[in-house]
Amino acid sequence: MAYEQFAYIYDELMQDVPYDQWVDWVKAYVPTGSTIADIGCGTGTATLALAAHYEMLGIDLSEEMLEVAQEKAMEEGLRIQFWAQDMREIELPTPVDAATILCDSLNYLRTEEDVKQTFTHVAAILKEGGRLLFDTHSPYKMETLFNGKTYATHAEQSSYIWFADPGEAPLSVVHELTFFIEEEDGRYERVDETHHQRTYPPAQYVTWLRDAGFRVLAVTGDFGPDAPSETAERIFFVAEKM
């Protein structure tokens, strides 16, 4: 399963990700002090950053990721509940004010039905008027930046080579990642991971949101306030439960 080995080196390799921009984006649409379910929270970096402003819940399919997130929360003295759940079947004992699906976590859903089912279940855990905020890879990014590209990086205790090739489904990509992780004796262990992602045109997400009972408040691109350009790499959505 994706992220099983990746969980333990994820934060080292994601040091340059602008999590502060996600925090600022959420703050623009969700009142301080609200309760937020951070869905697809991974190792909890964004969850912990948002905890300075909100009551947070962290939800992810990967128990390995959640173990790392829980350790980080304890180290920072934060009381955050982390739940191992599939976003397509998410359930909570009490409704929340808002839900976030950040850093293209939604793109790991591989079918249209998966996305529609997720929107329906998220609507069920929100209070009336509650908001859903999420971002996705753009079609441009899938077709151009992830089309037969190779990336590589070297961190303090690990390195990786990342091959991105088009998947069989429209606007999908298969990420083949090879990690070299330094052991205590100085040797490097090789770990291979395969990750599948898929996106859809922004208008399709808007239709599915409306079908799930949401009113779409904003569709923007690349952390900016404007509608996404043709070359935007990331699309941001804000919707409100009607």
Side-chain angles (χ1 to χ4, degrees):
M1 180 181 295
Y3 287 119
E4 285 184 352
Q5 297 291 338
F6 194 31
Y8 300 99
I9 57 172
Y10 181 81
D11 287 338
E12 182 180 351
L13 298 176
M14 300 291 281
Q15 290 180 5
D16 296 330
V17 172
Y19 288 109
D20 57 329
Q21 293 189 55
W22 269 284
V23 172
D24 290 341
W25 176 60
V26 173
K27 288 171 62 179
Y29 291 100
V30 181
T32 300
S34 300
T35 300
I36 297 179
D38 188 20
I39 303 168
C41 68
T43 60
T45 302
T47 317
L48 271 61
L50 287 166
H53 312 280
Y54 304 101
E55 296 292 326
M56 298 300 299
L57 301 173
I59 299 166
D60 201 274
L61 183 62
S62 168
E63 294 186 4
E64 291 81 8
M65 284 284 193
L66 293 176
E67 287 178 10
V68 177
Q70 186 67 69
E71 290 175 4
K72 289 161 60 176
M74 292 176 64
E75 289 174 359
E76 295 190 21
L78 297 173
R79 293 186 177 182
I80 300 175
Q81 294 186 43
F82 290 98
W83 300 51
Q85 289 194 24
D86 188 325
M87 69 174 73
R88 296 169 297 181
E89 301 174 352
I90 187 170
E91 294 182 351
L92 294 177
T94 56
V96 293
D97 300 306
T100 55
I101 310 176
L102 306 178
C103 202
D104 56 76
S105 293
L106 192 75
N107 290 133
Y108 279 88
L109 300 178
R110 296 172 65 177
T111 70
E112 296 183 7
E113 287 304 317
D114 288 341
V115 179
K116 291 189 282 188
Q117 186 174 333
T118 296
F119 288 163
T120 299
H121 277 76
V122 172
I125 68 168
L126 289 173
K127 297 177 182 177
E128 185 175 344
R131 292 184 172 179
L132 166 61
L133 289 78
F134 67 95
D135 62 87
T136 67
H137 291 313
S138 68
Y140 166 79
K141 188 172 186 178
M142 287 296 201
E143 294 179 328
T144 305
L145 302 184
F146 284 154
N147 189 354
K149 296 296 192 297
T150 301
Y151 306 89
T153 190
H154 176 69
E156 184 176 348
Q157 293 182 306
S158 60
S159 302
Y160 74 76
I161 303 172
W162 167 16
F163 302 94
D165 291 303
E168 294 183 0
L171 297 178
S172 67
V173 64
V174 179
H175 303 288
E176 297 284 355
L177 299 108
T178 297
F179 300 94
F180 298 93
I181 305 170
E182 186 177 8
E183 302 293 334
E184 292 183 359
D185 60 6
R187 294 181 302 115
Y188 280 81
E189 177 187 1
R190 173 175 171 167
V191 177
D192 295 301
E193 296 263 356
T194 301
H195 297 241
H196 297 265
Q197 288 191 309
R198 186 179 182 185
T199 200
Y200 302 89
Q204 187 64 76
Y205 286 113
V206 169
T207 296
W208 291 334
L209 286 166
R210 290 171 176 165
D211 290 344
F214 287 98
R215 179 169 65 97
V216 178
L217 302 181
V219 180
T220 57
D222 291 338
F223 292 106
D226 302 321
S229 67
E230 292 184 359
T231 57
E233 296 182 21
R234 194 177 294 274
I235 314 297
F236 293 80
F237 298 82
V238 181
E240 185 174 80
K241 180 178 177 178
M242 295 187 293

mmCIF file of all heavy atoms in Angstrom, residues 122-144:
data_model
loop_
_atom_site.group_PDB
_atom_site.id
_atom_site.type_symbol
_atom_site.label_atom_id
_atom_site.label_comp_id
_atom_site.label_asym_id
_atom_site.label_seq_id
_atom_site.Cartn_x
_atom_site.Cartn_y
_atom_site.Cartn_z
ATOM 1 N N VAL A 122 -18.573 13.496 3.337
ATOM 2 C CA VAL A 122 -18.090 14.709 4.000
ATOM 3 C C VAL A 122 -19.263 15.626 4.336
ATOM 4 O O VAL A 122 -19.308 16.216 5.422
ATOM 5 C CB VAL A 122 -17.047 15.435 3.131
ATOM 6 C CG1 VAL A 122 -16.704 16.791 3.734
ATOM 7 C CG2 VAL A 122 -15.783 14.590 3.002
ATOM 8 N N ALA A 123 -20.208 15.739 3.431
ATOM 9 C CA ALA A 123 -21.391 16.560 3.721
ATOM 10 C C ALA A 123 -22.102 16.060 4.975
ATOM 11 O O ALA A 123 -22.602 16.858 5.777
ATOM 12 C CB ALA A 123 -22.341 16.547 2.526
ATOM 13 N N ALA A 124 -22.117 14.744 5.176
ATOM 14 C CA ALA A 124 -22.823 14.167 6.321
ATOM 15 C C ALA A 124 -22.147 14.478 7.651
ATOM 16 O O ALA A 124 -22.814 14.489 8.691
ATOM 17 C CB ALA A 124 -22.948 12.654 6.142
ATOM 18 N N ILE A 125 -20.828 14.741 7.638
ATOM 19 C CA ILE A 125 -20.139 15.023 8.908
ATOM 20 C C ILE A 125 -20.079 16.518 9.214
ATOM 21 O O ILE A 125 -19.597 16.912 10.275
ATOM 22 C CB ILE A 125 -18.699 14.453 8.919
ATOM 23 C CG1 ILE A 125 -17.808 15.190 7.935
ATOM 24 C CG2 ILE A 125 -18.718 12.944 8.672
ATOM 25 C CD1 ILE A 125 -16.330 14.893 8.099
ATOM 26 N N LEU A 126 -20.567 17.345 8.287
ATOM 27 C CA LEU A 126 -20.535 18.790 8.491
ATOM 28 C C LEU A 126 -21.827 19.303 9.105
ATOM 29 O O LEU A 126 -22.916 18.790 8.819
ATOM 30 C CB LEU A 126 -20.312 19.508 7.156
ATOM 31 C CG LEU A 126 -18.927 19.395 6.516
ATOM 32 C CD1 LEU A 126 -18.939 20.025 5.130
ATOM 33 C CD2 LEU A 126 -17.874 20.052 7.396
ATOM 34 N N LYS A 127 -21.698 20.328 9.913
ATOM 35 C CA LYS A 127 -22.874 21.046 10.394
ATOM 36 C C LYS A 127 -23.514 21.781 9.215
ATOM 37 O O LYS A 127 -22.879 22.019 8.194
ATOM 38 C CB LYS A 127 -22.480 22.061 11.467
ATOM 39 C CG LYS A 127 -21.878 21.450 12.722
ATOM 40 C CD LYS A 127 -21.460 22.539 13.693
ATOM 41 C CE LYS A 127 -20.796 21.957 14.941
ATOM 42 N NZ LYS A 127 -20.318 23.015 15.862
ATOM 43 N N GLU A 128 -24.770 22.160 9.377
ATOM 44 C CA GLU A 128 -25.411 22.969 8.350
ATOM 45 C C GLU A 128 -24.630 24.272 8.190
ATOM 46 O O GLU A 128 -24.315 24.942 9.171
ATOM 47 C CB GLU A 128 -26.859 23.270 8.739
ATOM 48 C CG GLU A 128 -27.640 23.998 7.665
ATOM 49 C CD GLU A 128 -29.097 24.168 8.036
ATOM 50 O OE1 GLU A 128 -29.558 23.474 8.963
ATOM 51 O OE2 GLU A 128 -29.764 24.999 7.395
ATOM 52 N N GLY A 129 -24.273 24.602 6.964
ATOM 53 C CA GLY A 129 -23.438 25.770 6.721
ATOM 54 C C GLY A 129 -21.958 25.496 6.859
ATOM 55 O O GLY A 129 -21.137 26.398 6.659
ATOM 56 N N GLY A 130 -21.596 24.255 7.198
ATOM 57 C CA GLY A 130 -20.185 23.895 7.309
ATOM 58 C C GLY A 130 -19.499 23.926 5.961
ATOM 59 O O GLY A 130 -20.139 23.773 4.910
ATOM 60 N N ARG A 131 -18.208 24.104 5.979
ATOM 61 C CA ARG A 131 -17.472 24.286 4.730
ATOM 62 C C ARG A 131 -16.468 23.159 4.468
ATOM 63 O O ARG A 131 -15.839 22.649 5.394
ATOM 64 C CB ARG A 131 -16.748 25.634 4.744
ATOM 65 C CG ARG A 131 -17.729 26.788 4.684
ATOM 66 C CD ARG A 131 -17.054 28.143 4.608
ATOM 67 N NE ARG A 131 -18.047 29.193 4.366
ATOM 68 C CZ ARG A 131 -17.771 30.477 4.263
ATOM 69 N NH1 ARG A 131 -16.507 30.891 4.383
ATOM 70 N NH2 ARG A 131 -18.730 31.353 4.035
ATOM 71 N N LEU A 132 -16.342 22.827 3.196
ATOM 72 C CA LEU A 132 -15.349 21.876 2.712
ATOM 73 C C LEU A 132 -14.336 22.641 1.869
ATOM 74 O O LEU A 132 -14.719 23.346 0.929
ATOM 75 C CB LEU A 132 -16.013 20.778 1.873
ATOM 76 C CG LEU A 132 -15.078 19.903 1.030
ATOM 77 C CD1 LEU A 132 -14.091 19.146 1.903
ATOM 78 C CD2 LEU A 132 -15.877 18.941 0.156
ATOM 79 N N LEU A 133 -13.063 22.510 2.215
ATOM 80 C CA LEU A 133 -11.986 23.141 1.461
ATOM 81 C C LEU A 133 -11.034 22.045 0.984
ATOM 82 O O LEU A 133 -10.573 21.220 1.786
ATOM 83 C CB LEU A 133 -11.215 24.137 2.323
ATOM 84 C CG LEU A 133 -11.906 25.444 2.718
ATOM 85 C CD1 LEU A 133 -12.893 25.234 3.864
ATOM 86 C CD2 LEU A 133 -10.873 26.494 3.129
ATOM 87 N N PHE A 134 -10.733 22.039 -0.297
ATOM 88 C CA PHE A 134 -9.794 21.050 -0.820
ATOM 89 C C PHE A 134 -9.086 21.608 -2.048
ATOM 90 O O PHE A 134 -9.531 22.577 -2.667
ATOM 91 C CB PHE A 134 -10.494 19.733 -1.160
ATOM 92 C CG PHE A 134 -11.474 19.811 -2.307
ATOM 93 C CD1 PHE A 134 -11.082 19.487 -3.605
ATOM 94 C CD2 PHE A 134 -12.791 20.176 -2.093
ATOM 95 C CE1 PHE A 134 -11.978 19.544 -4.664
ATOM 96 C CE2 PHE A 134 -13.701 20.240 -3.141
ATOM 97 C CZ PHE A 134 -13.295 19.910 -4.430
ATOM 98 N N ASP A 135 -7.958 20.992 -2.380
ATOM 99 C CA ASP A 135 -7.226 21.361 -3.589
ATOM 100 C C ASP A 135 -6.904 20.107 -4.382
ATOM 101 O O ASP A 135 -6.845 19.000 -3.834
ATOM 102 C CB ASP A 135 -5.949 22.127 -3.248
ATOM 103 C CG ASP A 135 -4.975 21.296 -2.431
ATOM 104 O OD1 ASP A 135 -4.165 20.567 -3.029
ATOM 105 O OD2 ASP A 135 -5.037 21.362 -1.188
ATOM 106 N N THR A 136 -6.713 20.285 -5.675
ATOM 107 C CA THR A 136 -6.401 19.169 -6.565
ATOM 108 C C THR A 136 -5.321 19.577 -7.559
ATOM 109 O O THR A 136 -5.102 20.764 -7.816
ATOM 110 C CB THR A 136 -7.641 18.736 -7.378
ATOM 111 O OG1 THR A 136 -8.000 19.790 -8.283
ATOM 112 C CG2 THR A 136 -8.819 18.413 -6.477
ATOM 113 N N HIS A 137 -4.653 18.575 -8.122
ATOM 114 C CA HIS A 137 -3.806 18.837 -9.274
ATOM 115 C C HIS A 137 -4.688 19.311 -10.424
ATOM 116 O O HIS A 137 -5.821 18.839 -10.596
ATOM 117 C CB HIS A 137 -3.073 17.570 -9.716
ATOM 118 C CG HIS A 137 -2.024 17.101 -8.764
ATOM 119 N ND1 HIS A 137 -1.092 17.944 -8.202
ATOM 120 C CD2 HIS A 137 -1.742 15.854 -8.282
ATOM 121 C CE1 HIS A 137 -0.280 17.257 -7.422
ATOM 122 N NE2 HIS A 137 -0.647 15.991 -7.445
ATOM 123 N N SER A 138 -4.178 20.199 -11.232
ATOM 124 C CA SER A 138 -4.927 20.682 -12.390
ATOM 125 C C SER A 138 -4.766 19.726 -13.564
ATOM 126 O O SER A 138 -3.787 18.955 -13.625
ATOM 127 C CB SER A 138 -4.417 22.059 -12.804
ATOM 128 O OG SER A 138 -3.092 21.951 -13.317
ATOM 129 N N PRO A 139 -5.680 19.763 -14.529
ATOM 130 C CA PRO A 139 -5.473 18.976 -15.753
ATOM 131 C C PRO A 139 -4.159 19.334 -16.446
ATOM 132 O O PRO A 139 -3.474 18.454 -16.974
ATOM 133 C CB PRO A 139 -6.685 19.363 -16.605
ATOM 134 C CG PRO A 139 -7.763 19.675 -15.598
ATOM 135 C CD PRO A 139 -7.028 20.365 -14.479
ATOM 136 N N TYR A 140 -3.795 20.612 -16.447
ATOM 137 C CA TYR A 140 -2.523 21.030 -17.055
ATOM 138 C C TYR A 140 -1.341 20.311 -16.401
ATOM 139 O O TYR A 140 -0.432 19.832 -17.094
ATOM 140 C CB TYR A 140 -2.366 22.546 -16.909
ATOM 141 C CG TYR A 140 -0.960 23.043 -17.193
ATOM 142 C CD1 TYR A 140 -0.515 23.208 -18.499
ATOM 143 C CD2 TYR A 140 -0.081 23.341 -16.150
ATOM 144 C CE1 TYR A 140 0.775 23.657 -18.769
ATOM 145 C CE2 TYR A 140 1.212 23.788 -16.408
ATOM 146 C CZ TYR A 140 1.638 23.940 -17.716
ATOM 147 O OH TYR A 140 2.910 24.371 -17.966
ATOM 148 N N LYS A 141 -1.339 20.234 -15.087
ATOM 149 C CA LYS A 141 -0.232 19.583 -14.393
ATOM 150 C C LYS A 141 -0.169 18.104 -14.740
ATOM 151 O O LYS A 141 0.920 17.553 -14.959
ATOM 152 C CB LYS A 141 -0.398 19.766 -12.888
ATOM 153 C CG LYS A 141 0.799 19.295 -12.072
ATOM 154 C CD LYS A 141 0.647 19.674 -10.604
ATOM 155 C CE LYS A 141 1.895 19.336 -9.805
ATOM 156 N NZ LYS A 141 1.765 19.746 -8.383
ATOM 157 N N MET A 142 -1.317 17.455 -14.805
ATOM 158 C CA MET A 142 -1.339 16.031 -15.123
ATOM 159 C C MET A 142 -0.829 15.777 -16.537
ATOM 160 O O MET A 142 -0.057 14.837 -16.780
ATOM 161 C CB MET A 142 -2.769 15.493 -14.984
ATOM 162 C CG MET A 142 -3.251 15.363 -13.550
ATOM 163 S SD MET A 142 -2.279 14.136 -12.634
ATOM 164 C CE MET A 142 -3.390 13.735 -11.302
ATOM 165 N N GLU A 143 -1.259 16.609 -17.470
ATOM 166 C CA GLU A 143 -0.938 16.352 -18.873
ATOM 167 C C GLU A 143 0.440 16.852 -19.271
ATOM 168 O O GLU A 143 1.031 16.356 -20.231
ATOM 169 C CB GLU A 143 -1.994 17.015 -19.769
ATOM 170 C CG GLU A 143 -3.376 16.406 -19.637
ATOM 171 C CD GLU A 143 -4.392 17.099 -20.513
ATOM 172 O OE1 GLU A 143 -4.253 18.322 -20.736
ATOM 173 O OE2 GLU A 143 -5.326 16.422 -20.985
ATOM 174 N N THR A 144 0.979 17.839 -18.532
ATOM 175 C CA THR A 144 2.241 18.458 -18.929
ATOM 176 C C THR A 144 3.381 18.157 -17.958
ATOM 177 O O THR A 144 4.407 17.598 -18.332
ATOM 178 C CB THR A 144 2.069 19.979 -19.060
ATOM 179 O OG1 THR A 144 0.997 20.256 -19.965
ATOM 180 C CG2 THR A 144 3.348 20.623 -19.566
#
